[in-house]
């Protein structure tokens, strides 16, 4: 890959004007690259957002919900969450309270915050 | 007997200790204190500090090092011993007149000579990017792709620092290597400086990782200076859900566009997106776990030690190191400002769907610390405003932006 001719001429100790031009070109290249990705993903995103969202209602209603212990809205919410998480065909057999107290929000935050410390 | 003891003393390392080495022991102590007591990027600073200590002890059989006439400090250069072989009769002449056939019988080199080849041959940074890709969720960026511009804007510091370094007497190649500190991306900084200014790699790596740890101190004053209270309270729309197919397409799109535009960034971008593709495709769980854990951990260890090894007193205790540390702050400050200012500009151009300008500063790719800083600053203005996921978009865009900027520097200066 051959660099652009005018960039080849960048001196070891470039002058002020030359340095400004070099910086401007670099910024344009970065914006061009990320702007192109933006444009591409915007187009692709529109295609995906036009597709009808899979109805959460496709998730089968739970069969073994104890009567009177959980309201239908909560059941629908849990069914939608299960569908969004699991995806594909599935069947909810039972909804019961956790044996031990759990804190999913805290666990999610912990997992997220810890995920990139490696760098 | 006394004479024998004296003779023996001359064979020990004590006789070879210089005052510069002792000063470097102090530097090592500071780095270890920052890493252990203050928690500044310990995963990198601890191996770097240990490598620096090894480099400043009179070791034998660990690493070969010499100072070239041009002032470049060379480490991990091998000595080959072998027998020169005669050309086979009747074989065509070699294209290169001075080409010789040698049977290598012994390679002289210590442990760190071999480990450091991972940096010299530019293997470690791209492989670490494999792990970074496997750890990164680009979902927030895909859900709001316009924040890619914030990741691009936050590269402003790189280019401003390029000019600043030139004014302080650095060459163009050295200036580019110093400027990349503003990208807040350690592997990329090491990748670039190894190619353009290996003599400065130790100082650049230390500055980059130290300032990455100092993001919560450096960024907030600049963010508050450039934004109004009203802007800091802007609440952004919830991010849409991103499908698995979109994430897979994103990895391919980023790789193709970036490599077409800046082929010199291929190694970094390709490995980053390979790691991310493995993560998102959902059928390579074992590979993802390896990339997220074993591979990145082993390489981080070797990378840190290899960088530390370059920090011998002869090369590190120079005015250039102080200049690099000063320029690093400039790079971070301008990168932060660039992201915030472009976010404000986007609000002017698109007022119906405003962006909280605080997430612009997350465009420096210190993941996820810069995003956390944006979130925390937002909550200071409005305790019920949750910016973390919005800030992750420009944050991961910054990783791509820094790799592209490094590719630009390499394609224009690296030959």
């Amino acid at each position: 890959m051959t660099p652009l001719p005018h960039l080849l001429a960048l001196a070891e100790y470039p002058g002020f004007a030359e340095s400004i031009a070099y910086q401007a070109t670099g910024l344009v290249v970065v914006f061009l690259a990320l702007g192109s990705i933006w444009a591409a993903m915007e187009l692709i995103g529109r295609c995906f957002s036009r597709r009808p969202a899979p109805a959460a209602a496709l998730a089968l209603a739970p069969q073994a919900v104890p009567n009177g212990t959980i309201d239908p809205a909560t059941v629908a919410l849990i069914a939608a969450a299960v569908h969004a998480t699991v995806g594909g065909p599935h069947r909810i057999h039972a909804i019961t309270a956790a044996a031990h107290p759990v804190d999913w929000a805290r666990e999610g935050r912990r997992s997220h915050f810890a995920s990139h410390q490696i760098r | 007997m006394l004479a024998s003891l004296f003779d023996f003393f001359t064979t020990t390392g004590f006789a070879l200790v210089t005052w510069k080495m002792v000063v470097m022991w102090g530097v090592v102590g500071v780095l270890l204190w920052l890493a252990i007591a203050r928690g500044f990027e310990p995963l990198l600073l601890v191996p770097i500090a240990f490598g620096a200590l090894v480099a400043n002890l009179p070791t034998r059989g660990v690493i070969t090092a010499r100072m070239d006439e041009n002032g470049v400090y060379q480490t991990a250069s091998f000595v080959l011993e072998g027998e020169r072989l005669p050309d086979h009769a009747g074989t065509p002449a070699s294209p290169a007149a001075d080409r010789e056939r040698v049977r290598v019988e012994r390679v002289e080199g210590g442990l760190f000579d071999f480990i450091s080849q991972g940096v010299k041959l530019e293997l470690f940074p791209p492989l670490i990017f494999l792990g970074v890709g496997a750890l990164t969720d680009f979902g927030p960026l895909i859900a709001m792709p316009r924040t890619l511009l914030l990741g691009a804007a936050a590269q402003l510091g790189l280019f401003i620092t390029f000019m600043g370094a030139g004014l302080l007497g650095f060459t163009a190649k050295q200036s580019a290597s110093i400027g990349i500190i503003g990208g807040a991306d350690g592997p990329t900084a090491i990748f670039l400086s190894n190619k353009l200014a290996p003599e400065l790699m130790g100082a650049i790596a230390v500055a980059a990782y130290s300032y990455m740890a100092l993001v919560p101190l450096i960024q907030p004053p600049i963010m508050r200076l450039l934004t109004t209270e009203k802007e800091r309270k802007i609440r952004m729309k919830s991010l849409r859900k991103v499908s698995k197919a979109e994430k897979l397409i994103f990895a391919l799109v980023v790789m193709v566009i970036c490599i077409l535009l800046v082929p010199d960034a291929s190694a970094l971008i390709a490995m980053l997106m390979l790691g991310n593709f493995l993560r998102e495709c959902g059928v390579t769980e074992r590979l993802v776990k390896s990339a997220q854990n074993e591979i990145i951990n082993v390489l981080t260890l070797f990378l840190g030690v290899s960088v530390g090894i370059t920090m011998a007193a002869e090369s590190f205790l120079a005015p250039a190191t102080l200049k690099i540390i000063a320029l690093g702050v400039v790079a971070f400050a301008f990168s932060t400002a660039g992201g915030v200012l472009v976010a404000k500009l986007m609000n002017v151009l698109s007022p119906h769907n405003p962006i909280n300008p605080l997430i612009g500063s997350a465009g420096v790719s210190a993941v996820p610390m810069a995003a956390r800083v944006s979130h925390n600053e937002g909550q200071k203005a409005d305790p019920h405003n949750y910016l973390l996921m919005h800030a992750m978009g420009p944050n991961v865009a910054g990783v791509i932006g820094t790799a592209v900027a490094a590719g630009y520097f390499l394609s224009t200066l690296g030959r």
Side-chain angles (χ1 to χ4, degrees):
Chain A
M1 181 61 64
T2 308
L4 297 173
H6 77 281
L7 292 172
L8 268 179
L10 190 69
E12 190 175 5
Y13 292 95
F16 185 76
E18 198 181 4
S19 188
I20 291 281
Y22 181 74
Q23 292 169 67
T25 310
L27 261 182
V28 168
V29 169
V30 174
F31 270 95
L32 195 61
L34 273 67
S36 304
I37 298 169
W38 171 29
M41 291 316 297
E42 201 70 59
L43 287 174
I44 293 166
R46 284 183 187 178
C47 296
F48 277 92
S49 57
R50 278 179 193 161
R51 290 170 57 187
L58 288 177
L60 293 176
Q63 301 295 310
V65 178
N67 288 333
T69 58
I70 188 165
D71 66 281
T74 306
V75 172
L77 192 67
I78 292 172
V82 169
H83 176 78
T85 306
V86 176
H90 60 274
R91 184 187 298 273
I92 299 171
H93 292 282
I95 298 175
T96 57
H100 305 288
V102 289
D103 190 343
W104 288 109
R106 183 181 299 169
E107 172 60 18
R109 279 196 298 276
R110 189 205 62 77
S111 172
H112 176 77
F113 275 69
S115 63
H116 293 75
Q117 287 292 357
I118 198 75
R119 298 181 61 227
Chain B
M1 183 182 165
L2 196 63
S4 299
L5 273 176
F6 187 77
D7 285 346
F8 174 75
F9 181 77
T10 60
T11 68
T12 65
F14 289 103
L16 300 172
V17 173
T18 64
W19 68 268
K20 285 185 174 179
M21 285 181 173
V22 177
V23 173
M24 285 304 294
W25 297 351
V27 173
V28 168
V30 171
L31 292 179
L32 288 175
W33 175 75
L34 287 174
I36 298 166
R38 304 298 303 272
F40 285 7
E41 297 288 339
L43 296 178
L44 255 301
L45 282 189
V46 168
I48 286 177
F50 253 83
L53 185 59
V54 170
N56 291 285
L57 286 171
T59 54
R60 288 195 193 108
V62 175
I63 189 163
T64 53
R66 67 171 195 279
M67 183 71 85
D68 287 348
E69 289 177 3
N70 59 3
V72 175
Y73 184 72
Q74 288 281 3
T75 57
S77 45
F78 291 106
V79 176
L80 301 181
E81 280 184 14
E83 177 191 355
R84 187 178 299 168
L85 299 175
D87 274 343
H88 292 296
T91 52
S94 167
D98 57 349
R99 184 165 175 167
E100 291 183 350
R101 299 176 71 235
V102 175
R103 178 192 292 129
V104 176
E105 295 169 340
R106 194 174 73 90
V107 178
E108 186 180 303
L111 171 67
F112 289 105
D113 288 323
F114 291 95
I115 292 177
S116 295
Q117 295 309 308
V119 173
K120 284 200 152 190
L121 300 175
E122 303 190 331
L123 302 176
F124 291 163
L127 289 174
I128 285 182
F129 259 48
L130 175 76
V132 173
L135 284 164
T136 303
D137 178 11
F138 285 102
L141 180 62
I142 301 168
M144 196 169 51
R146 61 185 173 138
T147 56
L148 275 155
L149 295 184
L150 302 179
Q155 309 310 315
L156 177 70
L158 277 67
F159 296 101
I160 297 284
T161 309
F162 175 87
M163 192 169 69
L167 292 174
L168 289 179
F170 289 101
T171 66
K173 289 183 178 182
Q174 291 173 332
S175 301
S177 303
I178 296 167
I180 206 78
I181 294 172
D185 196 319
T188 306
I190 292 167
F191 183 81
L192 187 69
S193 58
N194 179 61
K195 275 204 170 179
L196 297 185
E199 69 277 12
L200 301 179
M201 188 171 64
I204 288 171
V206 167
Y209 281 110
S210 301
Y211 288 135
M212 278 165 66
L214 289 173
V215 158
L217 297 179
I218 297 173
Q219 287 196 319
I222 300 166
M223 295 158 74
R224 286 195 287 267
L225 182 71
L226 296 176
T227 54
T228 63
E229 182 78 11
K230 186 181 173 189
E231 285 173 329
R232 291 196 286 273
K233 287 183 176 175
I234 291 176
R235 291 194 180 188
M236 298 174 64
K237 290 180 182 173
S238 297
L239 297 174
R240 69 177 174 85
K241 188 177 182 301
V242 175
S243 68
K244 175 179 163 182
E246 273 183 284
K247 290 182 177 180
L248 293 176
I249 293 171
F250 175 80
L252 299 176
V253 165
V254 169
M255 194 167 85
V256 170
I257 289 178
C258 289
I259 291 179
L260 287 178
L261 203 58
V262 277
D264 287 273
S266 301
L268 293 174
I269 292 290
M271 295 310 280
L272 179 73
M273 289 305 147
L274 170 61
N276 191 251
F277 198 90
L278 291 174
R279 170 196 167 99
E280 302 299 349
C281 70
V283 292
T284 55
E285 195 174 337
R286 279 169 50 199
L287 302 184
V288 177
K289 283 186 176 172
S290 294
Q292 288 176 334
N293 298 289
E294 292 84 2
I295 291 176
I296 198 169
N297 287 344
V298 169
L299 293 176
T300 300
L301 179 61
F302 287 168
L303 181 78
V305 174
S306 301
V307 169
I309 281 289
T310 66
M311 292 170 59
E314 292 85 352
S315 62
F316 194 82
L317 293 181
T321 302
L322 290 178
K323 291 179 188 174
I324 289 168
I325 289 171
L327 286 165
V329 179
V330 174
F332 262 72
F334 276 101
S335 288
T336 303
V340 173
L341 291 175
V342 167
K344 288 166 69 103
L345 178 65
M346 288 169 74
N347 284 347
V348 172
L349 299 176
S350 177
H352 60 280
N353 189 12
I355 290 175
N356 190 315
L358 292 176
I359 70 166
S361 67
V364 303
S365 52
V367 182
M369 197 179 291
R372 262 185 278 173
V373 170
S374 299
H375 175 75
N376 292 339
E377 285 302 306
Q379 290 221 313
K380 283 179 187 170
D382 178 0
H384 301 293
N385 197 2
Y386 293 88
L387 292 174
L388 184 62
M389 293 315 291
H390 295 290
M392 285 305 293
N395 208 192
V396 294
V399 179
I400 301 170
T402 306
V404 171
Y408 170 74
F409 284 136
L410 284 174
S411 63
T412 53
L413 299 168
R415 56 197 82 210

